[in-house]
Amino acid sequence: SNGKINIAIDGPAGAGKSTVARRVAEALSYVYVDTGAMYRAATWYLMKHEVLPEDVQEVLQHVPKMVIELKPDPSGQKVICNGVDVTAEIRSLDVTGNVSRYASIAGLREHLTSGQRRMAECKGVVMDGRDIGTTVLPDAELKVFMTASVKERALRRFKELREVGITLEQLERDIAARDKLDEDREVSPLRRSEDAIMLDTTHMDIEEVVDTIVSYCKTAIGWRD
Ligand code: CDP
Ligand code: CDP
């Protein structure tokens, strides 16, 4: 063993998972894996090939052809889908509005889940998503379920997206709708694993959340400062 553990961070949209997971990985010299980016890249690919989420058989025919890679980059992380850099495109409102529909397809989830498990085999991974603690890495040594009120989460996204001209009310509705699809789907729904630590970040800034998780991690590995 290299003395490292795996850390699973799950929760709804805008809870702060990706921002925090990236910083925790930096602080510990771990590898950050953004599984949401993989669902977004799959969505981008399927939309580009004009495959509808209702058309499950056609989705399943495309699934084995999808090669999604996450590459570390000074500016964060690059997302490559079948050789194309889709880092920017996967954040579009179009992809965001459709991702939960494709993400409910079991065969697509299995494909992405097996890639995610491979990335965590050597330990030292901070992985964020919706089903990491429950399904992808049920043996992760540290699991955190991060939440915040829907108002606060919409406000955080609003501050990022202001220039698009979308209203705060619309964002709140979009986020609530996506949460509901993610929570209600049959395969690997968004749910807190029983052994996950609950962390409500509504009134916490990024720094506090990062410090909290880093200290959980140090406890989990028996680290002495
Ligand atoms: O960043 P944001 O919270 O908006 O979303 P994301 O983490 O990029 O994930 C986008 C969507 O992918 C989620 O709403 C889920 O539908 C899906 N997803 C999933 O089903 N399972 C995961 N492990 C990660 C994401
Ligand atoms: O990955 P997830 O959808 O859970 O959230 P995120 O994209 O990491 O965070 C959404 C926004 O909230 C980002 O702009 C963060 O900077 C911000 N944020 C915050 O203001 N306070 C926190 N405690 C966590 C995140």
Side-chain angles (χ1 to χ4, degrees):
S1 146
N2 55 8
K4 293 185 173 180
I5 64 170
N6 283 333
I7 305 177
I9 302 182
D10 291 302
K17 301 181 299 300
S18 47
T19 309
V20 166
R22 180 173 288 119
R23 298 223 192 164
V24 167
E26 258 170 35
L28 299 166
S29 298
Y30 277 27
V31 174
Y32 168 52
V33 178
D34 178 354
T35 66
M38 298 171 74
Y39 284 93
R40 287 172 178 274
T43 298
W44 172 85
Y45 175 98
L46 292 164
M47 290 177 76
K48 194 177 76 117
H49 287 84
E50 299 183 347
V51 183
L52 298 174
E54 295 77 39
D55 221 334
V56 175
Q57 285 317 313
E58 216 188 322
V59 169
L60 296 182
Q61 279 177 9
H62 278 85
V63 162
K65 295 181 245 170
M66 276 189 240
V67 182
I68 297 165
E69 298 161 282
L70 303 177
K71 293 210 171 135
D73 184 82
S75 66
Q77 170 191 253
K78 281 203 185 305
V79 185
I80 314 291
C81 181
N82 291 37
V84 183
D85 183 341
V86 295
T87 312
E89 284 98 320
I90 62 169
R91 304 291 158 192
S92 70
L93 288 176
D94 225 18
V95 168
T96 302
N98 286 287
V99 58
S100 291
R101 300 168 72 204
Y102 294 100
S104 69
I105 300 170
L108 173 63
R109 301 198 67 85
E110 281 159 24
H111 180 70
L112 298 182
T113 297
S114 63
Q116 291 156 10
R117 287 190 181 133
R118 268 196 305 278
M119 289 188 244
E121 270 168 2
C122 297
K123 304 265 183 188
V125 161
V126 185
M127 191 178 287
D128 83 323
R130 301 292 187 286
D131 62 338
I132 311 308
T134 53
T135 305
V136 180
L137 304 177
D139 297 329
E141 288 82 356
L142 175 62
K143 300 181 185 178
V144 177
F145 194 87
M146 204 180 280
T147 60
S149 70
V150 73
K151 265 209 159 54
E152 172 64 20
R153 292 188 285 119
L155 192 62
R156 290 175 184 175
R157 280 295 153 88
F158 186 64
K159 288 176 185 162
E160 293 176 322
L161 290 175
R162 186 164 303 212
E163 70 279 8
V164 179
I166 187 169
T167 66
L168 181 57
E169 291 69 29
Q170 183 59 46
L171 258 177
E172 208 174 310
R173 278 196 296 274
D174 289 353
I175 284 182
R178 191 144 60 93
D179 287 353
K180 187 161 167 45
L181 282 175
D182 290 342
E183 286 163 3
D184 290 353
R185 70 170 172 245
E186 288 193 15
V187 260
S188 303
L190 169 63
R191 198 155 294 163
R192 185 182 79 90
S193 173
E194 276 178 26
D195 52 354
I197 300 173
M198 187 74 149
L199 193 58
D200 184 340
T201 72
T202 307
H203 304 292
M204 291 172 85
D205 66 24
I206 294 165
E207 215 59 36
E208 284 177 277
V209 182
V210 171
D211 291 348
T212 303
I213 296 179
V214 168
S215 76
Y216 291 154
C217 179
K218 289 181 176 177
T219 304
I221 61 181
W223 182 314
R224 307 263 181 289
D225 278 313

mmCIF file of all heavy atoms in Angstrom, residues 10 12-14 17-18 34-37 39-40 91 96 99-101 103 109 116 128-132 136 157 178 182 185 188, ligand 1:
data_model
loop_
_atom_site.group_PDB
_atom_site.id
_atom_site.type_symbol
_atom_site.label_atom_id
_atom_site.label_comp_id
_atom_site.label_asym_id
_atom_site.label_seq_id
_atom_site.Cartn_x
_atom_site.Cartn_y
_atom_site.Cartn_z
ATOM 1 N N ASP A 10 -20.136 12.849 -2.691
ATOM 2 C CA ASP A 10 -21.391 12.871 -3.439
ATOM 3 C C ASP A 10 -22.270 14.014 -2.965
ATOM 4 O O ASP A 10 -22.070 14.550 -1.876
ATOM 5 C CB ASP A 10 -22.145 11.541 -3.235
ATOM 6 C CG ASP A 10 -21.441 10.377 -3.906
ATOM 7 O OD1 ASP A 10 -21.247 10.447 -5.141
ATOM 8 O OD2 ASP A 10 -21.080 9.403 -3.215
ATOM 9 N N PRO A 12 -25.858 16.857 -4.395
ATOM 10 C CA PRO A 12 -26.590 17.472 -5.507
ATOM 11 C C PRO A 12 -25.795 18.586 -6.200
ATOM 12 O O PRO A 12 -24.732 18.981 -5.726
ATOM 13 C CB PRO A 12 -27.839 18.025 -4.825
ATOM 14 C CG PRO A 12 -27.401 18.327 -3.434
ATOM 15 C CD PRO A 12 -26.384 17.282 -3.081
ATOM 16 N N ALA A 13 -26.331 19.078 -7.296
ATOM 17 C CA ALA A 13 -25.682 20.122 -8.104
ATOM 18 C C ALA A 13 -25.463 21.387 -7.291
ATOM 19 O O ALA A 13 -26.358 21.858 -6.596
ATOM 20 C CB ALA A 13 -26.554 20.444 -9.319
ATOM 21 N N GLY A 14 -24.263 21.935 -7.385
ATOM 22 C CA GLY A 14 -23.961 23.213 -6.752
ATOM 23 C C GLY A 14 -23.612 23.128 -5.275
ATOM 24 O O GLY A 14 -23.435 24.143 -4.612
ATOM 25 N N LYS A 17 -19.044 20.257 -4.638
ATOM 26 C CA LYS A 17 -18.233 19.031 -4.742
ATOM 27 C C LYS A 17 -16.978 19.210 -5.574
ATOM 28 O O LYS A 17 -15.878 18.882 -5.130
ATOM 29 C CB LYS A 17 -19.058 17.887 -5.377
ATOM 30 C CG LYS A 17 -20.305 17.524 -4.624
ATOM 31 C CD LYS A 17 -21.041 16.382 -5.309
ATOM 32 C CE LYS A 17 -21.512 16.702 -6.730
ATOM 33 N NZ LYS A 17 -22.441 17.840 -6.819
ATOM 34 N N SER A 18 -17.125 19.692 -6.806
ATOM 35 C CA SER A 18 -15.954 19.699 -7.695
ATOM 36 C C SER A 18 -14.908 20.705 -7.247
ATOM 37 O O SER A 18 -13.710 20.403 -7.253
ATOM 38 C CB SER A 18 -16.357 19.902 -9.159
ATOM 39 O OG SER A 18 -17.257 20.945 -9.292
ATOM 40 N N ASP A 34 -13.475 13.753 -11.732
ATOM 41 C CA ASP A 34 -14.781 14.410 -11.844
ATOM 42 C C ASP A 34 -15.707 13.507 -12.669
ATOM 43 O O ASP A 34 -15.692 13.547 -13.900
ATOM 44 C CB ASP A 34 -14.554 15.760 -12.545
ATOM 45 C CG ASP A 34 -15.836 16.543 -12.775
ATOM 46 O OD1 ASP A 34 -16.936 16.016 -12.503
ATOM 47 O OD2 ASP A 34 -15.722 17.692 -13.239
ATOM 48 N N THR A 35 -16.523 12.681 -11.999
ATOM 49 C CA THR A 35 -17.363 11.741 -12.766
ATOM 50 C C THR A 35 -18.505 12.455 -13.480
ATOM 51 O O THR A 35 -18.972 11.985 -14.507
ATOM 52 C CB THR A 35 -17.942 10.616 -11.875
ATOM 53 O OG1 THR A 35 -18.855 11.188 -10.934
ATOM 54 C CG2 THR A 35 -16.844 9.854 -11.149
ATOM 55 N N GLY A 36 -18.931 13.600 -12.947
ATOM 56 C CA GLY A 36 -19.971 14.374 -13.633
ATOM 57 C C GLY A 36 -19.498 14.778 -15.026
ATOM 58 O O GLY A 36 -20.274 14.766 -15.992
ATOM 59 N N ALA A 37 -18.202 15.106 -15.143
ATOM 60 C CA ALA A 37 -17.644 15.487 -16.448
ATOM 61 C C ALA A 37 -17.741 14.320 -17.423
ATOM 62 O O ALA A 37 -17.912 14.529 -18.635
ATOM 63 C CB ALA A 37 -16.191 15.932 -16.289
ATOM 64 N N TYR A 39 -20.174 11.946 -17.407
ATOM 65 C CA TYR A 39 -21.581 11.893 -17.852
ATOM 66 C C TYR A 39 -21.874 13.025 -18.827
ATOM 67 O O TYR A 39 -22.624 12.862 -19.791
ATOM 68 C CB TYR A 39 -22.536 11.912 -16.647
ATOM 69 C CG TYR A 39 -22.563 10.568 -15.962
ATOM 70 C CD1 TYR A 39 -21.721 10.292 -14.887
ATOM 71 C CD2 TYR A 39 -23.374 9.537 -16.436
ATOM 72 C CE1 TYR A 39 -21.699 9.036 -14.300
ATOM 73 C CE2 TYR A 39 -23.352 8.278 -15.851
ATOM 74 C CZ TYR A 39 -22.511 8.039 -14.786
ATOM 75 O OH TYR A 39 -22.484 6.788 -14.223
ATOM 76 N N ARG A 40 -21.268 14.181 -18.579
ATOM 77 C CA ARG A 40 -21.462 15.306 -19.494
ATOM 78 C C ARG A 40 -20.831 15.017 -20.863
ATOM 79 O O ARG A 40 -21.428 15.334 -21.907
ATOM 80 C CB ARG A 40 -20.839 16.577 -18.890
ATOM 81 C CG ARG A 40 -21.643 17.152 -17.734
ATOM 82 C CD ARG A 40 -20.893 18.290 -17.040
ATOM 83 N NE ARG A 40 -21.682 18.882 -15.969
ATOM 84 C CZ ARG A 40 -22.577 19.844 -16.142
ATOM 85 N NH1 ARG A 40 -22.761 20.369 -17.357
ATOM 86 N NH2 ARG A 40 -23.273 20.304 -15.129
ATOM 87 N N ARG A 91 -19.990 22.078 -20.549
ATOM 88 C CA ARG A 91 -20.595 22.968 -19.549
ATOM 89 C C ARG A 91 -21.753 23.768 -20.129
ATOM 90 O O ARG A 91 -22.315 24.632 -19.445
ATOM 91 C CB ARG A 91 -19.541 23.929 -18.974
ATOM 92 C CG ARG A 91 -18.325 23.239 -18.367
ATOM 93 C CD ARG A 91 -18.636 22.483 -17.092
ATOM 94 N NE ARG A 91 -17.623 21.453 -16.843
ATOM 95 C CZ ARG A 91 -17.733 20.490 -15.935
ATOM 96 N NH1 ARG A 91 -18.826 20.412 -15.192
ATOM 97 N NH2 ARG A 91 -16.803 19.597 -15.780
ATOM 98 N N THR A 96 -26.094 20.502 -19.923
ATOM 99 C CA THR A 96 -26.573 20.495 -18.538
ATOM 100 C C THR A 96 -28.053 20.108 -18.453
ATOM 101 O O THR A 96 -28.455 19.351 -17.579
ATOM 102 C CB THR A 96 -26.359 21.881 -17.891
ATOM 103 O OG1 THR A 96 -24.968 22.204 -17.956
ATOM 104 C CG2 THR A 96 -26.809 21.899 -16.438
ATOM 105 N N VAL A 99 -28.238 16.032 -19.392
ATOM 106 C CA VAL A 99 -27.355 14.991 -18.851
ATOM 107 C C VAL A 99 -28.075 13.993 -17.943
ATOM 108 O O VAL A 99 -27.854 12.785 -18.030
ATOM 109 C CB VAL A 99 -26.108 15.629 -18.178
ATOM 110 C CG1 VAL A 99 -26.472 16.590 -17.080
ATOM 111 C CG2 VAL A 99 -25.144 14.584 -17.662
ATOM 112 N N SER A 100 -28.987 14.456 -17.103
ATOM 113 C CA SER A 100 -29.648 13.540 -16.166
ATOM 114 C C SER A 100 -30.518 12.508 -16.883
ATOM 115 O O SER A 100 -30.769 11.429 -16.346
ATOM 116 C CB SER A 100 -30.501 14.314 -15.160
ATOM 117 O OG SER A 100 -29.666 15.045 -14.303
ATOM 118 N N ARG A 101 -30.979 12.842 -18.077
ATOM 119 C CA ARG A 101 -31.821 11.895 -18.818
ATOM 120 C C ARG A 101 -30.967 10.739 -19.340
ATOM 121 O O ARG A 101 -31.325 9.580 -19.226
ATOM 122 C CB ARG A 101 -32.541 12.632 -19.938
ATOM 123 C CG ARG A 101 -33.433 13.741 -19.358
ATOM 124 C CD ARG A 101 -33.942 14.685 -20.408
ATOM 125 N NE ARG A 101 -34.949 14.061 -21.251
ATOM 126 C CZ ARG A 101 -35.223 14.455 -22.477
ATOM 127 N NH1 ARG A 101 -34.537 15.448 -23.020
ATOM 128 N NH2 ARG A 101 -36.159 13.867 -23.171
ATOM 129 N N ALA A 103 -28.107 9.930 -18.073
ATOM 130 C CA ALA A 103 -27.463 9.304 -16.902
ATOM 131 C C ALA A 103 -28.355 8.272 -16.221
ATOM 132 O O ALA A 103 -27.902 7.551 -15.341
ATOM 133 C CB ALA A 103 -27.040 10.378 -15.897
ATOM 134 N N ARG A 109 -24.289 3.805 -17.533
ATOM 135 C CA ARG A 109 -23.685 3.918 -16.202
ATOM 136 C C ARG A 109 -22.645 2.831 -15.973
ATOM 137 O O ARG A 109 -21.580 3.086 -15.426
ATOM 138 C CB ARG A 109 -24.746 3.860 -15.091
ATOM 139 C CG ARG A 109 -25.807 4.937 -15.183
ATOM 140 C CD ARG A 109 -26.550 5.110 -13.861
ATOM 141 N NE ARG A 109 -25.675 5.642 -12.846
ATOM 142 C CZ ARG A 109 -25.423 6.953 -12.675
ATOM 143 N NH1 ARG A 109 -26.016 7.850 -13.423
ATOM 144 N NH2 ARG A 109 -24.587 7.343 -11.740
ATOM 145 N N GLN A 116 -14.306 4.361 -14.009
ATOM 146 C CA GLN A 116 -14.048 5.091 -12.754
ATOM 147 C C GLN A 116 -13.368 4.180 -11.729
ATOM 148 O O GLN A 116 -12.456 4.595 -11.025
ATOM 149 C CB GLN A 116 -15.376 5.643 -12.207
ATOM 150 C CG GLN A 116 -15.939 6.756 -13.091
ATOM 151 C CD GLN A 116 -17.443 6.944 -12.976
ATOM 152 O OE1 GLN A 116 -18.093 6.369 -12.103
ATOM 153 N NE2 GLN A 116 -18.005 7.746 -13.863
ATOM 154 N N ASP A 128 -15.681 12.689 -7.221
ATOM 155 C CA ASP A 128 -16.983 13.270 -6.879
ATOM 156 C C ASP A 128 -18.042 12.920 -7.907
ATOM 157 O O ASP A 128 -17.735 12.633 -9.061
ATOM 158 C CB ASP A 128 -16.876 14.791 -6.662
ATOM 159 C CG ASP A 128 -16.916 15.583 -7.956
ATOM 160 O OD1 ASP A 128 -16.356 15.114 -8.956
ATOM 161 O OD2 ASP A 128 -17.490 16.683 -7.958
ATOM 162 N N GLY A 129 -19.291 12.861 -7.431
ATOM 163 C CA GLY A 129 -20.403 12.492 -8.310
ATOM 164 C C GLY A 129 -21.697 12.372 -7.542
ATOM 165 O O GLY A 129 -21.988 13.189 -6.656
ATOM 166 N N ARG A 130 -22.481 11.361 -7.925
ATOM 167 C CA ARG A 130 -23.780 11.142 -7.279
ATOM 168 C C ARG A 130 -23.866 9.774 -6.605
ATOM 169 O O ARG A 130 -24.644 9.589 -5.677
ATOM 170 C CB ARG A 130 -24.911 11.215 -8.334
ATOM 171 C CG ARG A 130 -25.005 12.523 -9.099
ATOM 172 C CD ARG A 130 -25.432 13.651 -8.192
ATOM 173 N NE ARG A 130 -25.704 14.910 -8.910
ATOM 174 C CZ ARG A 130 -24.773 15.705 -9.419
ATOM 175 N NH1 ARG A 130 -23.494 15.396 -9.335
ATOM 176 N NH2 ARG A 130 -25.128 16.834 -10.018
ATOM 177 N N ASP A 131 -23.056 8.810 -7.098
ATOM 178 C CA ASP A 131 -23.177 7.412 -6.655
ATOM 179 C C ASP A 131 -21.813 6.829 -6.308
ATOM 180 O O ASP A 131 -21.618 5.627 -6.395
ATOM 181 C CB ASP A 131 -23.797 6.581 -7.793
ATOM 182 C CG ASP A 131 -22.921 6.582 -9.050
ATOM 183 O OD1 ASP A 131 -22.092 7.512 -9.210
ATOM 184 O OD2 ASP A 131 -23.046 5.650 -9.855
ATOM 185 N N ILE A 132 -20.870 7.677 -5.924
ATOM 186 C CA ILE A 132 -19.506 7.177 -5.691
ATOM 187 C C ILE A 132 -19.466 6.334 -4.412
ATOM 188 O O ILE A 132 -18.987 5.204 -4.424
ATOM 189 C CB ILE A 132 -18.470 8.336 -5.630
ATOM 190 C CG1 ILE A 132 -18.648 9.290 -6.818
ATOM 191 C CG2 ILE A 132 -17.042 7.779 -5.577
ATOM 192 C CD1 ILE A 132 -18.672 8.641 -8.178
ATOM 193 N N VAL A 136 -19.945 3.178 -6.988
ATOM 194 C CA VAL A 136 -18.660 3.120 -7.696
ATOM 195 C C VAL A 136 -17.553 2.633 -6.762
ATOM 196 O O VAL A 136 -16.831 1.685 -7.093
ATOM 197 C CB VAL A 136 -18.297 4.496 -8.313
ATOM 198 C CG1 VAL A 136 -16.967 4.420 -9.054
ATOM 199 C CG2 VAL A 136 -19.407 4.960 -9.259
ATOM 200 N N ARG A 157 -24.472 29.032 -8.486
ATOM 201 C CA ARG A 157 -24.439 28.859 -9.949
ATOM 202 C C ARG A 157 -24.727 30.170 -10.666
ATOM 203 O O ARG A 157 -24.171 30.465 -11.724
ATOM 204 C CB ARG A 157 -25.449 27.783 -10.372
ATOM 205 C CG ARG A 157 -24.939 26.376 -10.176
ATOM 206 C CD ARG A 157 -23.764 26.148 -11.111
ATOM 207 N NE ARG A 157 -22.835 25.151 -10.603
ATOM 208 C CZ ARG A 157 -22.954 23.847 -10.833
ATOM 209 N NH1 ARG A 157 -23.948 23.383 -11.543
ATOM 210 N NH2 ARG A 157 -22.074 23.007 -10.366
ATOM 211 N N ARG A 178 -33.276 18.750 -11.810
ATOM 212 C CA ARG A 178 -32.177 17.809 -12.021
ATOM 213 C C ARG A 178 -31.973 16.956 -10.758
ATOM 214 O O ARG A 178 -31.795 15.745 -10.850
ATOM 215 C CB ARG A 178 -30.893 18.562 -12.397
ATOM 216 C CG ARG A 178 -29.784 17.673 -12.881
ATOM 217 C CD ARG A 178 -28.978 18.348 -13.979
ATOM 218 N NE ARG A 178 -28.361 19.587 -13.548
ATOM 219 C CZ ARG A 178 -27.121 19.679 -13.064
ATOM 220 N NH1 ARG A 178 -26.403 18.591 -12.925
ATOM 221 N NH2 ARG A 178 -26.614 20.837 -12.744
ATOM 222 N N ASP A 182 -32.182 12.872 -10.625
ATOM 223 C CA ASP A 182 -31.045 12.108 -10.093
ATOM 224 C C ASP A 182 -31.453 11.273 -8.871
ATOM 225 O O ASP A 182 -30.947 10.169 -8.673
ATOM 226 C CB ASP A 182 -29.890 13.050 -9.716
ATOM 227 C CG ASP A 182 -29.208 13.669 -10.939
ATOM 228 O OD1 ASP A 182 -29.382 13.131 -12.056
ATOM 229 O OD2 ASP A 182 -28.506 14.687 -10.784
ATOM 230 N N ARG A 185 -34.168 8.176 -10.103
ATOM 231 C CA ARG A 185 -33.899 7.143 -11.088
ATOM 232 C C ARG A 185 -33.671 5.798 -10.404
ATOM 233 O O ARG A 185 -33.301 5.734 -9.224
ATOM 234 C CB ARG A 185 -32.718 7.524 -11.979
ATOM 235 C CG ARG A 185 -31.410 7.507 -11.265
ATOM 236 C CD ARG A 185 -30.227 7.639 -12.223
ATOM 237 N NE ARG A 185 -29.039 7.804 -11.439
ATOM 238 C CZ ARG A 185 -28.278 8.900 -11.420
ATOM 239 N NH1 ARG A 185 -28.549 9.919 -12.198
ATOM 240 N NH2 ARG A 185 -27.250 8.968 -10.615
ATOM 241 N N SER A 188 -28.564 3.438 -9.413
ATOM 242 C CA SER A 188 -27.632 4.320 -8.703
ATOM 243 C C SER A 188 -28.168 5.738 -8.506
ATOM 244 O O SER A 188 -27.539 6.696 -8.948
ATOM 245 C CB SER A 188 -26.310 4.399 -9.464
ATOM 246 O OG SER A 188 -25.764 3.133 -9.624
HETATM 247 O O1 CDP B 1 -21.541 20.106 -11.572
HETATM 248 P P1 CDP B 1 -22.972 19.732 -11.471
HETATM 249 O O2 CDP B 1 -23.345 19.395 -10.072
HETATM 250 O O3 CDP B 1 -23.902 20.631 -12.166
HETATM 251 O O4 CDP B 1 -23.156 18.360 -12.213
HETATM 252 P P2 CDP B 1 -22.115 17.247 -12.515
HETATM 253 O O5 CDP B 1 -21.474 16.761 -11.271
HETATM 254 O O6 CDP B 1 -21.256 17.722 -13.612
HETATM 255 O O7 CDP B 1 -23.065 16.091 -13.010
HETATM 256 C C1 CDP B 1 -23.955 16.298 -14.093
HETATM 257 C C2 CDP B 1 -25.007 15.217 -14.076
HETATM 258 O O8 CDP B 1 -24.370 13.950 -14.347
HETATM 259 C C3 CDP B 1 -25.763 15.004 -12.782
HETATM 260 O O9 CDP B 1 -26.885 15.853 -12.662
HETATM 261 C C4 CDP B 1 -26.187 13.534 -12.899
HETATM 262 O O10 CDP B 1 -27.347 13.402 -13.692
HETATM 263 C C5 CDP B 1 -25.034 12.904 -13.671
HETATM 264 N N1 CDP B 1 -24.096 12.194 -12.802
HETATM 265 C C6 CDP B 1 -24.436 10.925 -12.367
HETATM 266 O O11 CDP B 1 -25.531 10.458 -12.673
HETATM 267 N N2 CDP B 1 -23.574 10.198 -11.634
HETATM 268 C C7 CDP B 1 -22.372 10.689 -11.281
HETATM 269 N N3 CDP B 1 -21.543 9.938 -10.567
HETATM 270 C C8 CDP B 1 -22.013 11.993 -11.685
HETATM 271 C C9 CDP B 1 -22.901 12.732 -12.436
#
